[in-house]
Amino acid sequence: MDHRKLHPDTLLTHEGRERGRVGGTVNTPVYRASTLLFPNVETLQAQNGTLNTYGRHGNPTTRALEAALAQLEGAHAAMLTPSGLSALTTALLATLKPGDHLLMTDSVYDPTRAFCDQTLARFGIETTYYDPLIGAGIAGLMRPNTRVVFLESPGSLTFEVQDVPAIAEAAHAHGALVMMDNTWATPVHFASFRHGVDISIHAATKYIVGHSDVLMGVIMTTEALYPEIRGFYKQLGLSVSADDAYLALRGLRTLSTRLERHQRNAERIAAWLAEQPEVGRILYPALPGAPGHELWKRDFTGACGLFGVEFKGVSERAIHAMLDGMQLFGMGYSWGGYESLILLTHPDAHRSATTWSAEGPLVRLHVGLEHPDDLIADLDAGLQRLRATCR
Ligand SMILES: *Cc1c(COP(=O)(O)O)cnc(C)c1O
């Protein structure tokens, strides 16, 4: 059977599993290993230069996860890293050298921005931030030394949907690589490589693991870029434990099922919020009429439970009153687990090429797998507290 023709749901169930395993277990076991033993010198020497000589280069559990993720997104190969941020920084360092120029979306995850402004700058790599909605206009910012164009779509906190094919076409015409943080859509809902991306990065911490208990990142590449990036990754000495890889594989099996419910709940809650007088724009690309909806519909096959809610005519103090008393929505960073989260955000603090203007505070919701009626009741009580503060 040609696995490239299977649907994501089927791949999620069948990739990263070997038939005929000792003991016949459904799941690839946890292979904890630093040292690998060889029966004789000849066998050992035959493996030198491969990934099969030492535990740091992986084990059957991490490899099963890498294979499943690569197959799912249509990548040549995947590399696991200890966090999403380490996947981003590793991919940037692997591809850039002193004197190179990087084009970075202004809507990028803030720690990625900090890495560009501090570490890459120290290494003589210049970053120019661009408007996430620039599309083919990116061509006007390309320089002869532009090596990487970095996208994150939808953007962190503000959820701009980027025209990935148009940006990728312009980048490739100028000989630059296209790198993308694809965490929001997961490998299930945005086929990055089919849209011109060369290097796709995920915080697996979010939906892939899906249970708020493991930090992990993944870098996926085309065949052409794989040797260079794998080589650098290996030199950095990054490795991920088999136990964590096992948990991520376990999360992966239900990824599309969970996403479907996250999206359905998020759509219900977004529609309910849109009717509240204190709510301005809803920044959820899956919602008809929301910013980026048309591009989302063109390029994505689904959404998740993460979106932004703009309030209007209310103070931050009123938002505090709403958020401080939530019973079901937890307050915390991260997202992508089964549980609902709520967070007050300040996107204006993380911009340089564009300005963020809104009629009031911006709140980020991660809609979990709870019953949406209960979540709406929690939000409704929160809005009552907000209104009491405004009065
Ligand atoms: C959380 C997040 C990251 C970083 O992942 P960690 O595993 O927390 O390091 C990167 N990009 C995006 C879009 C994220 O939301």
Side-chain angles (χ1 to χ4, degrees), residues 81-88 108-112 152 154-156 181-184 201-206 214-217 306 333-335 364:
T81 65
S83 67
L85 185 57
S86 62
L88 292 157
V108 73
Y109 179 62
D110 190 46
T112 309
E152 182 177 328
S156 270
D181 185 332
N182 194 20
T183 301
W184 186 89
I201 295 154
H202 294 267
T205 308
K206 309 291 167 52
V214 173
L215 286 157
M216 194 181 293
L306 190 78
Y333 291 106
S334 203
W335 45 278
R364 188 179 76 180

PDB file of all heavy atoms in Angstrom, residues 81-88 108-112 152 154-156 181-184 201-206 214-217 306 333-335 364, ligand 1:
ATOM      1  N   THR A  81      13.648  17.854  18.968  1.00  0.00           N
ATOM      2  CA  THR A  81      14.474  18.708  19.828  1.00  0.00           C
ATOM      3  C   THR A  81      13.796  18.832  21.195  1.00  0.00           C
ATOM      4  O   THR A  81      12.613  18.531  21.330  1.00  0.00           O
ATOM      5  CB  THR A  81      14.650  20.115  19.209  1.00  0.00           C
ATOM      6  OG1 THR A  81      13.367  20.750  19.165  1.00  0.00           O
ATOM      7  CG2 THR A  81      15.235  20.053  17.811  1.00  0.00           C
ATOM      8  N   PRO A  82      14.549  19.283  22.197  1.00  0.00           N
ATOM      9  CA  PRO A  82      14.009  19.292  23.572  1.00  0.00           C
ATOM     10  C   PRO A  82      12.880  20.298  23.818  1.00  0.00           C
ATOM     11  O   PRO A  82      12.232  20.233  24.851  1.00  0.00           O
ATOM     12  CB  PRO A  82      15.227  19.643  24.432  1.00  0.00           C
ATOM     13  CG  PRO A  82      16.410  19.404  23.569  1.00  0.00           C
ATOM     14  CD  PRO A  82      15.974  19.625  22.173  1.00  0.00           C
ATOM     15  N   SER A  83      12.635  21.232  22.911  1.00  0.00           N
ATOM     16  CA  SER A  83      11.520  22.166  23.062  1.00  0.00           C
ATOM     17  C   SER A  83      11.215  22.753  21.685  1.00  0.00           C
ATOM     18  O   SER A  83      12.042  22.633  20.758  1.00  0.00           O
ATOM     19  CB  SER A  83      11.880  23.308  24.023  1.00  0.00           C
ATOM     20  OG  SER A  83      12.881  24.121  23.444  1.00  0.00           O
ATOM     21  N   GLY A  84      10.080  23.409  21.567  1.00  0.00           N
ATOM     22  CA  GLY A  84       9.763  24.080  20.310  1.00  0.00           C
ATOM     23  C   GLY A  84      10.768  25.180  20.016  1.00  0.00           C
ATOM     24  O   GLY A  84      11.227  25.349  18.883  1.00  0.00           O
ATOM     25  N   LEU A  85      11.138  25.931  21.047  1.00  0.00           N
ATOM     26  CA  LEU A  85      12.080  27.028  20.836  1.00  0.00           C
ATOM     27  C   LEU A  85      13.437  26.508  20.359  1.00  0.00           C
ATOM     28  O   LEU A  85      14.064  27.105  19.481  1.00  0.00           O
ATOM     29  CB  LEU A  85      12.233  27.861  22.118  1.00  0.00           C
ATOM     30  CG  LEU A  85      13.107  29.104  21.978  1.00  0.00           C
ATOM     31  CD1 LEU A  85      12.600  30.049  20.890  1.00  0.00           C
ATOM     32  CD2 LEU A  85      13.216  29.842  23.307  1.00  0.00           C
ATOM     33  N   SER A  86      13.891  25.377  20.918  1.00  0.00           N
ATOM     34  CA  SER A  86      15.185  24.850  20.470  1.00  0.00           C
ATOM     35  C   SER A  86      15.103  24.371  19.020  1.00  0.00           C
ATOM     36  O   SER A  86      16.111  24.402  18.294  1.00  0.00           O
ATOM     37  CB  SER A  86      15.691  23.738  21.396  1.00  0.00           C
ATOM     38  OG  SER A  86      14.800  22.648  21.393  1.00  0.00           O
ATOM     39  N   ALA A  87      13.929  23.949  18.563  1.00  0.00           N
ATOM     40  CA  ALA A  87      13.781  23.577  17.144  1.00  0.00           C
ATOM     41  C   ALA A  87      13.948  24.819  16.270  1.00  0.00           C
ATOM     42  O   ALA A  87      14.625  24.788  15.236  1.00  0.00           O
ATOM     43  CB  ALA A  87      12.419  22.932  16.907  1.00  0.00           C
ATOM     44  N   LEU A  88      13.339  25.932  16.709  1.00  0.00           N
ATOM     45  CA  LEU A  88      13.433  27.178  15.942  1.00  0.00           C
ATOM     46  C   LEU A  88      14.872  27.696  15.896  1.00  0.00           C
ATOM     47  O   LEU A  88      15.384  28.046  14.830  1.00  0.00           O
ATOM     48  CB  LEU A  88      12.523  28.239  16.581  1.00  0.00           C
ATOM     49  CG  LEU A  88      11.023  27.946  16.448  1.00  0.00           C
ATOM     50  CD1 LEU A  88      10.213  28.662  17.509  1.00  0.00           C
ATOM     51  CD2 LEU A  88      10.546  28.346  15.057  1.00  0.00           C
ATOM     52  N   VAL A 108       5.803  37.103  14.755  1.00  0.00           N
ATOM     53  CA  VAL A 108       6.470  35.886  15.233  1.00  0.00           C
ATOM     54  C   VAL A 108       6.363  35.718  16.749  1.00  0.00           C
ATOM     55  O   VAL A 108       6.249  36.714  17.490  1.00  0.00           O
ATOM     56  CB  VAL A 108       7.952  35.887  14.782  1.00  0.00           C
ATOM     57  CG1 VAL A 108       8.780  36.900  15.569  1.00  0.00           C
ATOM     58  CG2 VAL A 108       8.558  34.491  14.886  1.00  0.00           C
ATOM     59  N   TYR A 109       6.394  34.492  17.180  1.00  0.00           N
ATOM     60  CA  TYR A 109       6.478  34.104  18.597  1.00  0.00           C
ATOM     61  C   TYR A 109       7.618  34.892  19.248  1.00  0.00           C
ATOM     62  O   TYR A 109       8.748  34.877  18.746  1.00  0.00           O
ATOM     63  CB  TYR A 109       6.736  32.601  18.625  1.00  0.00           C
ATOM     64  CG  TYR A 109       6.891  31.954  19.971  1.00  0.00           C
ATOM     65  CD1 TYR A 109       5.851  31.956  20.893  1.00  0.00           C
ATOM     66  CD2 TYR A 109       8.073  31.285  20.303  1.00  0.00           C
ATOM     67  CE1 TYR A 109       5.987  31.322  22.115  1.00  0.00           C
ATOM     68  CE2 TYR A 109       8.216  30.647  21.521  1.00  0.00           C
ATOM     69  CZ  TYR A 109       7.169  30.667  22.429  1.00  0.00           C
ATOM     70  OH  TYR A 109       7.313  30.032  23.632  1.00  0.00           O
ATOM     71  N   ASP A 110       7.336  35.568  20.333  1.00  0.00           N
ATOM     72  CA  ASP A 110       8.299  36.528  20.868  1.00  0.00           C
ATOM     73  C   ASP A 110       9.686  35.948  21.201  1.00  0.00           C
ATOM     74  O   ASP A 110      10.695  36.592  20.934  1.00  0.00           O
ATOM     75  CB  ASP A 110       7.704  37.258  22.074  1.00  0.00           C
ATOM     76  CG  ASP A 110       8.581  38.422  22.477  1.00  0.00           C
ATOM     77  OD1 ASP A 110       8.993  39.188  21.564  1.00  0.00           O
ATOM     78  OD2 ASP A 110       8.883  38.572  23.664  1.00  0.00           O
ATOM     79  N   PRO A 111       9.801  34.761  21.778  1.00  0.00           N
ATOM     80  CA  PRO A 111      11.143  34.232  22.021  1.00  0.00           C
ATOM     81  C   PRO A 111      11.961  34.010  20.731  1.00  0.00           C
ATOM     82  O   PRO A 111      13.193  34.098  20.758  1.00  0.00           O
ATOM     83  CB  PRO A 111      10.874  32.908  22.738  1.00  0.00           C
ATOM     84  CG  PRO A 111       9.557  33.137  23.428  1.00  0.00           C
ATOM     85  CD  PRO A 111       8.759  33.948  22.449  1.00  0.00           C
ATOM     86  N   THR A 112      11.291  33.763  19.605  1.00  0.00           N
ATOM     87  CA  THR A 112      12.017  33.659  18.329  1.00  0.00           C
ATOM     88  C   THR A 112      12.600  35.029  17.982  1.00  0.00           C
ATOM     89  O   THR A 112      13.748  35.149  17.543  1.00  0.00           O
ATOM     90  CB  THR A 112      11.073  33.185  17.196  1.00  0.00           C
ATOM     91  OG1 THR A 112      10.392  32.018  17.624  1.00  0.00           O
ATOM     92  CG2 THR A 112      11.837  32.890  15.913  1.00  0.00           C
ATOM     93  N   GLU A 152       5.266  32.593  10.177  1.00  0.00           N
ATOM     94  CA  GLU A 152       4.504  31.916  11.220  1.00  0.00           C
ATOM     95  C   GLU A 152       3.054  32.244  10.919  1.00  0.00           C
ATOM     96  O   GLU A 152       2.668  33.410  10.908  1.00  0.00           O
ATOM     97  CB  GLU A 152       4.898  32.416  12.608  1.00  0.00           C
ATOM     98  CG  GLU A 152       4.146  31.686  13.709  1.00  0.00           C
ATOM     99  CD  GLU A 152       4.577  32.120  15.105  1.00  0.00           C
ATOM    100  OE1 GLU A 152       5.751  32.469  15.320  1.00  0.00           O
ATOM    101  OE2 GLU A 152       3.700  32.121  15.989  1.00  0.00           O
ATOM    102  N   PRO A 154      -1.130  30.910  11.420  1.00  0.00           N
ATOM    103  CA  PRO A 154      -1.409  32.283  11.819  1.00  0.00           C
ATOM    104  C   PRO A 154      -0.367  32.789  12.818  1.00  0.00           C
ATOM    105  O   PRO A 154       0.282  31.998  13.492  1.00  0.00           O
ATOM    106  CB  PRO A 154      -2.790  32.176  12.481  1.00  0.00           C
ATOM    107  CG  PRO A 154      -3.359  30.871  12.086  1.00  0.00           C
ATOM    108  CD  PRO A 154      -2.196  29.969  11.837  1.00  0.00           C
ATOM    109  N   GLY A 155      -0.216  34.126  12.896  1.00  0.00           N
ATOM    110  CA  GLY A 155       0.797  34.712  13.762  1.00  0.00           C
ATOM    111  C   GLY A 155       0.491  34.527  15.239  1.00  0.00           C
ATOM    112  O   GLY A 155      -0.661  34.399  15.636  1.00  0.00           O
ATOM    113  N   SER A 156       1.549  34.522  16.053  1.00  0.00           N
ATOM    114  CA  SER A 156       1.385  34.424  17.502  1.00  0.00           C
ATOM    115  C   SER A 156       0.607  35.633  18.010  1.00  0.00           C
ATOM    116  O   SER A 156       0.872  36.769  17.605  1.00  0.00           O
ATOM    117  CB  SER A 156       2.752  34.384  18.199  1.00  0.00           C
ATOM    118  OG  SER A 156       3.197  33.052  18.345  1.00  0.00           O
ATOM    119  N   ASP A 181       7.083  28.380  11.165  1.00  0.00           N
ATOM    120  CA  ASP A 181       6.568  27.842  12.429  1.00  0.00           C
ATOM    121  C   ASP A 181       5.113  27.460  12.158  1.00  0.00           C
ATOM    122  O   ASP A 181       4.251  28.312  12.001  1.00  0.00           O
ATOM    123  CB  ASP A 181       6.681  28.908  13.528  1.00  0.00           C
ATOM    124  CG  ASP A 181       6.268  28.392  14.907  1.00  0.00           C
ATOM    125  OD1 ASP A 181       5.435  27.465  14.971  1.00  0.00           O
ATOM    126  OD2 ASP A 181       6.772  28.920  15.918  1.00  0.00           O
ATOM    127  N   ASN A 182       4.863  26.158  12.113  1.00  0.00           N
ATOM    128  CA  ASN A 182       3.556  25.615  11.700  1.00  0.00           C
ATOM    129  C   ASN A 182       2.800  25.031  12.901  1.00  0.00           C
ATOM    130  O   ASN A 182       1.956  24.154  12.754  1.00  0.00           O
ATOM    131  CB  ASN A 182       3.816  24.537  10.627  1.00  0.00           C
ATOM    132  CG  ASN A 182       2.570  24.126   9.859  1.00  0.00           C
ATOM    133  OD1 ASN A 182       1.575  24.857   9.833  1.00  0.00           O
ATOM    134  ND2 ASN A 182       2.614  22.950   9.250  1.00  0.00           N
ATOM    135  N   THR A 183       3.114  25.528  14.099  1.00  0.00           N
ATOM    136  CA  THR A 183       2.565  24.933  15.324  1.00  0.00           C
ATOM    137  C   THR A 183       1.036  24.988  15.391  1.00  0.00           C
ATOM    138  O   THR A 183       0.400  24.012  15.779  1.00  0.00           O
ATOM    139  CB  THR A 183       3.161  25.648  16.560  1.00  0.00           C
ATOM    140  OG1 THR A 183       4.585  25.502  16.520  1.00  0.00           O
ATOM    141  CG2 THR A 183       2.649  25.039  17.855  1.00  0.00           C
ATOM    142  N   TRP A 184       0.444  26.108  14.996  1.00  0.00           N
ATOM    143  CA  TRP A 184      -1.011  26.285  15.144  1.00  0.00           C
ATOM    144  C   TRP A 184      -1.786  25.236  14.351  1.00  0.00           C
ATOM    145  O   TRP A 184      -2.737  24.644  14.848  1.00  0.00           O
ATOM    146  CB  TRP A 184      -1.403  27.704  14.698  1.00  0.00           C
ATOM    147  CG  TRP A 184      -2.830  28.098  14.920  1.00  0.00           C
ATOM    148  CD1 TRP A 184      -3.344  28.687  16.047  1.00  0.00           C
ATOM    149  CD2 TRP A 184      -3.936  27.965  14.011  1.00  0.00           C
ATOM    150  NE1 TRP A 184      -4.699  28.924  15.879  1.00  0.00           N
ATOM    151  CE2 TRP A 184      -5.087  28.494  14.642  1.00  0.00           C
ATOM    152  CE3 TRP A 184      -4.076  27.453  12.711  1.00  0.00           C
ATOM    153  CZ2 TRP A 184      -6.344  28.536  14.037  1.00  0.00           C
ATOM    154  CZ3 TRP A 184      -5.334  27.488  12.106  1.00  0.00           C
ATOM    155  CH2 TRP A 184      -6.446  28.017  12.774  1.00  0.00           C
ATOM    156  N   ILE A 201       8.645  23.849  11.262  1.00  0.00           N
ATOM    157  CA  ILE A 201       8.990  23.679  12.675  1.00  0.00           C
ATOM    158  C   ILE A 201       7.713  23.668  13.513  1.00  0.00           C
ATOM    159  O   ILE A 201       6.780  24.429  13.241  1.00  0.00           O
ATOM    160  CB  ILE A 201       9.906  24.839  13.120  1.00  0.00           C
ATOM    161  CG1 ILE A 201      11.226  24.723  12.352  1.00  0.00           C
ATOM    162  CG2 ILE A 201      10.155  24.809  14.626  1.00  0.00           C
ATOM    163  CD1 ILE A 201      11.934  26.003  12.175  1.00  0.00           C
ATOM    164  N   HIS A 202       7.702  22.797  14.516  1.00  0.00           N
ATOM    165  CA  HIS A 202       6.553  22.742  15.417  1.00  0.00           C
ATOM    166  C   HIS A 202       7.006  22.749  16.867  1.00  0.00           C
ATOM    167  O   HIS A 202       8.001  22.104  17.204  1.00  0.00           O
ATOM    168  CB  HIS A 202       5.765  21.435  15.227  1.00  0.00           C
ATOM    169  CG  HIS A 202       5.112  21.315  13.897  1.00  0.00           C
ATOM    170  ND1 HIS A 202       3.822  21.704  13.660  1.00  0.00           N
ATOM    171  CD2 HIS A 202       5.591  20.856  12.728  1.00  0.00           C
ATOM    172  CE1 HIS A 202       3.522  21.476  12.393  1.00  0.00           C
ATOM    173  NE2 HIS A 202       4.583  20.969  11.800  1.00  0.00           N
ATOM    174  N   ALA A 203       6.236  23.427  17.703  1.00  0.00           N
ATOM    175  CA  ALA A 203       6.316  23.169  19.131  1.00  0.00           C
ATOM    176  C   ALA A 203       5.399  21.955  19.353  1.00  0.00           C
ATOM    177  O   ALA A 203       4.186  22.107  19.456  1.00  0.00           O
ATOM    178  CB  ALA A 203       5.847  24.372  19.921  1.00  0.00           C
ATOM    179  N   ALA A 204       5.988  20.773  19.385  1.00  0.00           N
ATOM    180  CA  ALA A 204       5.204  19.544  19.616  1.00  0.00           C
ATOM    181  C   ALA A 204       4.584  19.567  21.003  1.00  0.00           C
ATOM    182  O   ALA A 204       3.607  18.861  21.283  1.00  0.00           O
ATOM    183  CB  ALA A 204       6.091  18.310  19.439  1.00  0.00           C
ATOM    184  N   THR A 205       5.183  20.397  21.865  1.00  0.00           N
ATOM    185  CA  THR A 205       4.645  20.676  23.204  1.00  0.00           C
ATOM    186  C   THR A 205       3.143  20.933  23.174  1.00  0.00           C
ATOM    187  O   THR A 205       2.429  20.599  24.122  1.00  0.00           O
ATOM    188  CB  THR A 205       5.330  21.956  23.746  1.00  0.00           C
ATOM    189  OG1 THR A 205       6.741  21.799  23.643  1.00  0.00           O
ATOM    190  CG2 THR A 205       4.930  22.274  25.167  1.00  0.00           C
ATOM    191  N   LYS A 206       2.675  21.543  22.101  1.00  0.00           N
ATOM    192  CA  LYS A 206       1.284  21.980  22.026  1.00  0.00           C
ATOM    193  C   LYS A 206       0.390  20.794  21.642  1.00  0.00           C
ATOM    194  O   LYS A 206       0.190  19.928  22.448  1.00  0.00           O
ATOM    195  CB  LYS A 206       1.170  23.162  21.051  1.00  0.00           C
ATOM    196  CG  LYS A 206       2.203  24.290  21.352  1.00  0.00           C
ATOM    197  CD  LYS A 206       1.930  25.024  22.645  1.00  0.00           C
ATOM    198  CE  LYS A 206       3.061  25.916  23.138  1.00  0.00           C
ATOM    199  NZ  LYS A 206       3.614  26.870  22.207  1.00  0.00           N
ATOM    200  N   VAL A 214       4.689  17.393  28.353  1.00  0.00           N
ATOM    201  CA  VAL A 214       6.019  17.191  27.760  1.00  0.00           C
ATOM    202  C   VAL A 214       6.373  18.414  26.920  1.00  0.00           C
ATOM    203  O   VAL A 214       5.517  18.939  26.207  1.00  0.00           O
ATOM    204  CB  VAL A 214       6.033  15.947  26.825  1.00  0.00           C
ATOM    205  CG1 VAL A 214       7.370  15.831  26.080  1.00  0.00           C
ATOM    206  CG2 VAL A 214       5.767  14.676  27.605  1.00  0.00           C
ATOM    207  N   LEU A 215       7.626  18.849  27.013  1.00  0.00           N
ATOM    208  CA  LEU A 215       8.146  19.876  26.102  1.00  0.00           C
ATOM    209  C   LEU A 215       8.899  19.177  24.979  1.00  0.00           C
ATOM    210  O   LEU A 215       9.749  18.308  25.246  1.00  0.00           O
ATOM    211  CB  LEU A 215       9.107  20.803  26.844  1.00  0.00           C
ATOM    212  CG  LEU A 215       8.448  21.803  27.797  1.00  0.00           C
ATOM    213  CD1 LEU A 215       9.425  22.251  28.865  1.00  0.00           C
ATOM    214  CD2 LEU A 215       7.900  23.003  27.040  1.00  0.00           C
ATOM    215  N   MET A 216       8.592  19.556  23.746  1.00  0.00           N
ATOM    216  CA  MET A 216       9.316  18.949  22.622  1.00  0.00           C
ATOM    217  C   MET A 216       9.153  19.795  21.369  1.00  0.00           C
ATOM    218  O   MET A 216       8.132  20.465  21.196  1.00  0.00           O
ATOM    219  CB  MET A 216       8.802  17.533  22.348  1.00  0.00           C
ATOM    220  CG  MET A 216       9.724  16.732  21.438  1.00  0.00           C
ATOM    221  SD  MET A 216       9.096  15.077  21.100  1.00  0.00           S
ATOM    222  CE  MET A 216       9.233  14.346  22.718  1.00  0.00           C
ATOM    223  N   GLY A 217      10.168  19.763  20.508  1.00  0.00           N
ATOM    224  CA  GLY A 217      10.069  20.452  19.233  1.00  0.00           C
ATOM    225  C   GLY A 217      10.393  19.492  18.108  1.00  0.00           C
ATOM    226  O   GLY A 217      10.929  18.399  18.337  1.00  0.00           O
ATOM    227  N   LEU A 306      -7.253  27.589  19.353  1.00  0.00           N
ATOM    228  CA  LEU A 306      -6.560  28.789  19.842  1.00  0.00           C
ATOM    229  C   LEU A 306      -6.956  30.014  19.030  1.00  0.00           C
ATOM    230  O   LEU A 306      -6.804  30.024  17.811  1.00  0.00           O
ATOM    231  CB  LEU A 306      -5.044  28.596  19.736  1.00  0.00           C
ATOM    232  CG  LEU A 306      -4.218  29.680  20.427  1.00  0.00           C
ATOM    233  CD1 LEU A 306      -4.188  29.451  21.938  1.00  0.00           C
ATOM    234  CD2 LEU A 306      -2.801  29.728  19.883  1.00  0.00           C
ATOM    235  N   TYR A 333       0.684  30.096  30.371  1.00  0.00           N
ATOM    236  CA  TYR A 333       1.249  30.101  29.026  1.00  0.00           C
ATOM    237  C   TYR A 333       1.050  28.717  28.428  1.00  0.00           C
ATOM    238  O   TYR A 333       0.582  27.806  29.089  1.00  0.00           O
ATOM    239  CB  TYR A 333       2.726  30.506  29.071  1.00  0.00           C
ATOM    240  CG  TYR A 333       2.902  31.957  29.448  1.00  0.00           C
ATOM    241  CD1 TYR A 333       3.355  32.334  30.707  1.00  0.00           C
ATOM    242  CD2 TYR A 333       2.562  32.958  28.538  1.00  0.00           C
ATOM    243  CE1 TYR A 333       3.490  33.670  31.047  1.00  0.00           C
ATOM    244  CE2 TYR A 333       2.694  34.293  28.876  1.00  0.00           C
ATOM    245  CZ  TYR A 333       3.158  34.646  30.120  1.00  0.00           C
ATOM    246  OH  TYR A 333       3.286  35.965  30.445  1.00  0.00           O
ATOM    247  N   SER A 334       1.470  28.583  27.193  1.00  0.00           N
ATOM    248  CA  SER A 334       1.299  27.348  26.432  1.00  0.00           C
ATOM    249  C   SER A 334      -0.158  27.149  26.040  1.00  0.00           C
ATOM    250  O   SER A 334      -1.036  27.970  26.371  1.00  0.00           O
ATOM    251  CB  SER A 334       1.812  26.122  27.182  1.00  0.00           C
ATOM    252  OG  SER A 334       2.109  25.106  26.247  1.00  0.00           O
ATOM    253  N   TRP A 335      -0.431  26.089  25.302  1.00  0.00           N
ATOM    254  CA  TRP A 335      -1.745  25.761  24.774  1.00  0.00           C
ATOM    255  C   TRP A 335      -1.603  24.421  24.064  1.00  0.00           C
ATOM    256  O   TRP A 335      -0.509  23.875  23.998  1.00  0.00           O
ATOM    257  CB  TRP A 335      -2.257  26.850  23.816  1.00  0.00           C
ATOM    258  CG  TRP A 335      -1.275  27.386  22.800  1.00  0.00           C
ATOM    259  CD1 TRP A 335      -0.329  28.343  23.009  1.00  0.00           C
ATOM    260  CD2 TRP A 335      -1.132  26.985  21.425  1.00  0.00           C
ATOM    261  NE1 TRP A 335       0.389  28.582  21.855  1.00  0.00           N
ATOM    262  CE2 TRP A 335      -0.091  27.767  20.868  1.00  0.00           C
ATOM    263  CE3 TRP A 335      -1.787  26.066  20.595  1.00  0.00           C
ATOM    264  CZ2 TRP A 335       0.329  27.637  19.533  1.00  0.00           C
ATOM    265  CZ3 TRP A 335      -1.386  25.953  19.272  1.00  0.00           C
ATOM    266  CH2 TRP A 335      -0.333  26.738  18.762  1.00  0.00           C
ATOM    267  N   ARG A 364      -6.303  35.931  24.805  1.00  0.00           N
ATOM    268  CA  ARG A 364      -6.147  34.711  24.013  1.00  0.00           C
ATOM    269  C   ARG A 364      -6.859  33.566  24.708  1.00  0.00           C
ATOM    270  O   ARG A 364      -6.675  33.360  25.905  1.00  0.00           O
ATOM    271  CB  ARG A 364      -4.661  34.381  23.846  1.00  0.00           C
ATOM    272  CG  ARG A 364      -4.440  33.228  22.874  1.00  0.00           C
ATOM    273  CD  ARG A 364      -2.968  32.932  22.704  1.00  0.00           C
ATOM    274  NE  ARG A 364      -2.443  32.214  23.845  1.00  0.00           N
ATOM    275  CZ  ARG A 364      -1.169  31.820  23.968  1.00  0.00           C
ATOM    276  NH1 ARG A 364      -0.301  32.112  23.018  1.00  0.00           N
ATOM    277  NH2 ARG A 364      -0.763  31.171  25.036  1.00  0.00           N
TER     278      ARG A 364
HETATM  279  C1  LIG B   1       4.949  27.550  22.377  1.00  0.00           C
HETATM  280  C2  LIG B   1       5.421  27.941  21.044  1.00  0.00           C
HETATM  281  C3  LIG B   1       6.757  27.740  20.679  1.00  0.00           C
HETATM  282  C4  LIG B   1       7.794  27.226  21.643  1.00  0.00           C
HETATM  283  O1  LIG B   1       7.578  25.920  22.073  1.00  0.00           O
HETATM  284  P1  LIG B   1       8.219  25.413  23.461  1.00  0.00           P
HETATM  285  O2  LIG B   1       8.072  23.953  23.390  1.00  0.00           O
HETATM  286  O3  LIG B   1       7.443  26.070  24.548  1.00  0.00           O
HETATM  287  O4  LIG B   1       9.657  25.856  23.459  1.00  0.00           O
HETATM  288  C5  LIG B   1       7.118  28.069  19.397  1.00  0.00           C
HETATM  289  N1  LIG B   1       6.252  28.588  18.517  1.00  0.00           N
HETATM  290  C6  LIG B   1       4.964  28.798  18.835  1.00  0.00           C
HETATM  291  C7  LIG B   1       4.045  29.359  17.818  1.00  0.00           C
HETATM  292  C8  LIG B   1       4.515  28.499  20.114  1.00  0.00           C
HETATM  293  O5  LIG B   1       3.253  28.752  20.440  1.00  0.00           O
END
